[in-house]
Amino acid sequence: MRSDELWSGIRDVYEGILTHPFIKGLTDGSLPLEKFKYYIIQDYHYLKEFAKALALLSAKAEKSEERELFATHVTHALDVERELHQGFTKEWGINPEEYEVSPTNLLYTSYLISVVYSRPFYEGVAAVLPCYWIYMEVGKELKRMGSANKFYQKWIDTYGGEEYEKGVRAVIQIIDGFEVTKEQEENMMRHFRTASIFEYMFWDSAYKLERFPFNLKRAGY
């Protein structure tokens, strides 16, 4: 399997992400801080579930180096949550645990865990890769432009840095090493593209401050 074929299959999605007002607003200063705060809260909840998906991949991997890589990335995901998110939320005086997960967030993370749990290892890796790869490419693109907003710049520095890219390249290398049939390749592409669209929807939902029409907790409790 060639990873560049996966990326070629989502160019329209990636262009949609780069031109979305949430992403453009990080560098030109037009993104309201309220929407960025909402995004950080949702990303806090997302990373907890993403870490579970990575733990499942680690358990399913047959090669020791792949098990160790995803196990390491579980810890890394939690480190990002603590260092980046908690740094923001502490300064803002908010507790993400007091906020409900968004509909898109719940749908996306449920999809990832379902694929990783129920489908073959190679499909699971294809499903989680967009989160890695798109963030790296967006981070690198935004880092070239920079932001006058200290919160936005901190976020850009995290995902546009060399250390983050190193971890992403390791996962891409796993994809490139898969020997799969045409049908298996198509399944990988389907999951990769679906998760990529969810990435677009995640930022779009933050821009729209998306919420469930009713409180998720039972009325009266």
Side-chain angles (χ1 to χ4, degrees):
M1 180 69 201
R2 289 172 51 190
S3 58
D4 59 345
E5 294 176 2
L6 291 177
W7 189 258
S8 294
I10 65 151
R11 290 200 178 278
D12 59 330
V13 181
Y14 181 63
E15 286 303 314
I17 289 171
L18 287 184
T19 57
H20 193 282
F22 185 99
I23 298 301
K24 292 179 68 176
L26 290 171
T27 55
D28 67 18
S30 64
L31 181 68
L33 186 58
E34 177 191 17
K35 296 184 178 185
F36 185 72
K37 288 181 179 180
Y38 180 92
Y39 161 80
I40 291 297
I41 290 168
Q42 291 304 319
D43 204 36
Y44 169 91
H45 289 297
Y46 171 87
L47 278 177
K48 289 193 296 182
E49 300 305 306
F50 188 68
K52 294 176 186 178
L54 298 185
L56 285 169
L57 281 177
S58 179
K60 296 180 83 169
E62 295 184 359
K63 297 180 180 179
S64 60
E65 60 268 28
E66 293 172 354
R67 285 197 301 271
E68 292 170 5
L69 176 69
F70 285 116
T72 300
H73 286 189
V74 171
T75 304
H76 177 72
L78 296 177
D79 285 344
V80 169
E81 176 187 313
R82 282 193 295 265
E83 295 174 15
L84 184 64
H85 295 161
Q86 291 186 8
F88 285 147
T89 56
K90 183 178 180 181
E91 186 162 351
W92 296 332
I94 59 177
N95 179 6
E97 293 293 343
E98 296 177 355
Y99 295 81
E100 292 183 344
V101 65
S102 72
T104 294
N105 198 352
L106 181 59
L107 184 62
Y108 185 12
T109 54
S110 297
Y111 171 78
L112 286 181
I113 291 176
S114 174
V115 172
V116 170
Y117 176 78
S118 64
R119 303 301 300 167
F121 177 70
Y122 57 85
E123 289 186 29
V125 178
V128 302
L129 181 56
C131 180
Y132 283 98
W133 201 346
I134 289 175
Y135 267 65
M136 180 187 77
E137 296 295 345
V138 169
K140 289 165 63 177
E141 183 70 23
L142 298 187
K143 194 164 187 177
R144 284 193 285 269
M145 294 179 279
S147 176
N149 185 300
K150 67 174 184 178
F151 299 117
Y152 302 169
Q153 186 62 49
K154 185 175 181 180
W155 184 91
I156 291 169
D157 289 339
T158 297
Y159 295 106
E162 293 181 4
E163 191 62 31
Y164 181 75
E165 182 171 355
K166 187 186 303 182
V168 177
R169 295 296 178 192
V171 181
I172 293 174
Q173 188 174 6
I174 292 176
I175 289 284
D176 287 331
F178 286 138
E179 295 182 5
V180 292
T181 66
K182 185 64 177 177
E183 181 181 358
Q184 291 170 335
E185 186 177 293
E186 288 175 354
N187 288 336
M188 291 174 67
M189 184 69 245
R190 176 165 51 86
H191 292 308
F192 184 78
R193 184 169 173 83
T194 301
S196 298
I197 294 171
F198 272 127
E199 286 293 326
Y200 174 91
M201 292 170 61
F202 194 90
W203 277 307
D204 187 59
S205 67
Y207 193 76
K208 295 175 179 175
L209 302 176
E210 178 192 67
R211 288 179 173 81
F212 281 97
F214 301 95
N215 195 306
L216 290 178
K217 293 182 180 179
R218 184 178 173 185
Y221 285 79

